[in-house]
């Protein structure tokens, strides 16, 4: 899985591509945290446009990122979530905990 | 009397995380002969990914063990997937199946079983501590006649 960072004026976009499973997120949790700590954004956007598959590993990543942003008193948005990943979020009830922009 | 399945395949692989994608891809390929819809195929792949990841991550936390995968087409449109490990086992299966229950620490959310249950018609879990865990999942695919309609 690949992560591209796009930092703006107190915003940070992380663009994910590839398979977001346990194998794929091995280093991703840490990389997300490092990127957030470096940019200290008011708003973090997780762009899932390139995610070809996601399982519960993606849920942990999303919830971790959200916690990090809450501790910075910032917000988080999830965007471009493909159908398969969206169904996983719904099955886990995560769609009620995070802001998803389609 | 035991009915012979329409078709079946069995495989074993070491519990390396790089085999997660292989396992769900293999199941998707095999299930393709049932002419599933795209969303049925995605459901199946996701459930397999959860079960296989659990075997890799929880059954063999510090060793490489063997994961067995059996895929059977029981009837024209009834798929059964069995994921078995000979690992650590689960002491309390009912508790393990609860949403948010995890022993996996920060990279885990405790939603794996919940996702399997939501994407498959039935999920059964048999486990013995120190002996291993067997997860059997079944899904009935939509009738082809209905899909064309
Ligand atoms: N094959 C297995 N062997 C041993 N323990 C298991 C196995 N499968 C599941 N478990 C136990 O059941 C718990 C719940 O599993 P579940 O898949 O629901 O959540 P998780 O794997 O912890 O997190 P997630 O799947 O959301 O990443 C695990 O934390 C683990 O303790
Ligand atoms: Mg799991």
């Amino acid at each position: 899985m690949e992560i591209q960072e796009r930092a703006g004026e107190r915003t940070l976009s992380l663009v994910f591509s590839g398979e977001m499973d346990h194998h794929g997120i091995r280093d991703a949790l840490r990389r997300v945290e490092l990127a957030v700590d470096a940019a200290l954004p008011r708003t973090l956007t997780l762009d899932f446009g390139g995610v070809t598959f996601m399982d519960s590993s993606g849920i942990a990543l999303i919830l971790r990122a959200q916690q990090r942003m809450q501790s910075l008193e910032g917000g988080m948005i999830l965007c471009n979530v493909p159908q398969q990943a969206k169904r996983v979020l719904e099955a886990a009830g995560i769609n009620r905990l995070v802001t998803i922009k389609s | 009397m035991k009915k012979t399945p329409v078709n079946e395949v069995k495989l074993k692989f070491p519990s390396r995380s790089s085999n997660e994608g292989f396992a769900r891809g293999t199941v998707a390929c095999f299930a393709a002969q049932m002419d599933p819809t795209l969303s049925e195929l995605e459901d199946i792949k996701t459930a397999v990914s959860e079960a296989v990841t659990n075997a890799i991550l929880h059954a063999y936390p510090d060793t490489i063990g063997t994961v067995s995968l059996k895929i059977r087409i029981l009837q024209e449109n009834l798929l059964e997937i069995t994921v078995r490990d000979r690992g650590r086992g689960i002491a309390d299966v009912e508790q393990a199946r609860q949403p948010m229950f995890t022993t996996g620490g920060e990279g885990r959310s405790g939603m794996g079983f919940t996702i399997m249950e939501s994407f498959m018609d039935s999920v059964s879990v048999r486990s013995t501590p120190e002996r291993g865990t067997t997860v059997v999942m079944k899904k009935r695919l939509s009738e082809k006649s209905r899909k064309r309609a």
Side-chain angles (χ1 to χ4, degrees):
Chain A
M1 200 182 58
E2 293 203 8
I3 310 172
Q4 265 183 43
E5 291 175 38
R6 293 190 197 134
E9 184 70 24
R10 314 257 10 227
T11 65
L12 175 65
S13 281
L14 297 175
V15 185
F16 295 84
S17 50
E19 308 226 292
M20 196 178 273
D21 61 4
H22 159 243
H23 184 70
I25 68 151
R26 275 166 310 164
D27 320 309
L29 290 172
R30 245 191 90 62
R31 285 188 51 202
V32 169
E33 278 179 8
L34 287 173
V36 168
D37 289 355
L40 297 174
R42 302 265 331 130
T43 311
L44 171 68
T45 304
L46 303 182
D47 185 334
F48 275 35
V51 174
T52 49
F53 175 81
M54 188 192 93
D55 64 17
S56 61
S57 308
I59 295 174
L61 184 138
I62 292 166
L63 293 180
R64 273 285 287 283
Q66 170 126 311
Q67 276 166 18
R68 202 70 168 192
M69 286 311 297
Q70 274 163 357
S71 71
L72 294 174
E73 291 176 353
M76 192 186 86
I77 301 170
L78 215 59
C79 74
N80 297 324
V81 184
Q83 205 52 44
Q84 185 269 336
K86 198 172 276 175
R87 301 242 309 290
V88 172
L89 296 177
E90 283 165 4
I94 302 303
N95 54 320
R96 286 181 265 118
L97 305 179
V98 296
T99 310
I100 303 175
K101 205 180 71 179
S102 50
Chain B
M1 198 183 77
K2 218 172 162 187
K3 267 178 79 178
T4 46
V6 179
N7 199 359
E8 70 179 323
V9 62
K10 293 176 190 174
L11 49 129
K12 287 180 197 287
F13 51 88
S15 60
R16 297 186 191 286
S17 65
S18 55
N19 284 328
E20 292 158 7
F22 163 75
R24 62 177 178 264
T26 302
V27 174
C29 280
F30 189 75
Q33 64 193 286
M34 301 171 83
D35 197 15
T37 65
L38 181 62
S39 73
E40 283 169 342
L41 212 50
E42 286 175 349
D43 289 358
I44 294 162
K45 279 176 74 172
T46 311
V48 169
S49 194
E50 295 299 343
V52 167
T53 301
N54 279 353
I56 289 172
L57 196 69
H58 303 301
Y60 306 111
D62 345 276
T63 48
I64 296 292
T66 300
V67 181
S68 311
L69 176 65
K70 184 167 77 181
I71 321 160
R72 296 205 292 174
I73 299 169
L74 295 178
Q75 296 154 23
E76 204 77 53
N77 62 346
L78 181 61
L79 181 70
E80 181 196 76
I81 297 156
T82 306
V83 178
R84 198 183 70 187
D85 64 68
R86 294 288 185 215
R88 202 179 48 177
I90 306 171
D92 185 342
V93 169
E94 207 187 316
Q95 178 189 46
R97 292 178 73 147
Q98 295 296 314
M100 320 273 277
F101 177 85
T102 182
T103 57
E106 44 177 33
R108 302 285 105 205
S109 61
M111 294 309 295
F113 279 126
T114 304
I115 290 168
M116 289 180 237
E117 285 164 7
S118 124
F119 287 167
M120 303 296 279
D121 294 332
S122 71
V123 177
S124 92
V125 182
R126 269 180 295 129
S127 190
T128 312
E130 307 312 321
R131 296 291 290 276
T133 302
T134 304
V135 176
V136 184
M137 305 185 280
K138 285 188 189 153
K139 189 176 183 70
R140 191 172 287 282
L141 306 192
S142 55
E143 293 294 341
K144 291 188 182 107
S145 54
R146 223 182 57 213
K147 265 184 264 180
R148 286 201 202 95

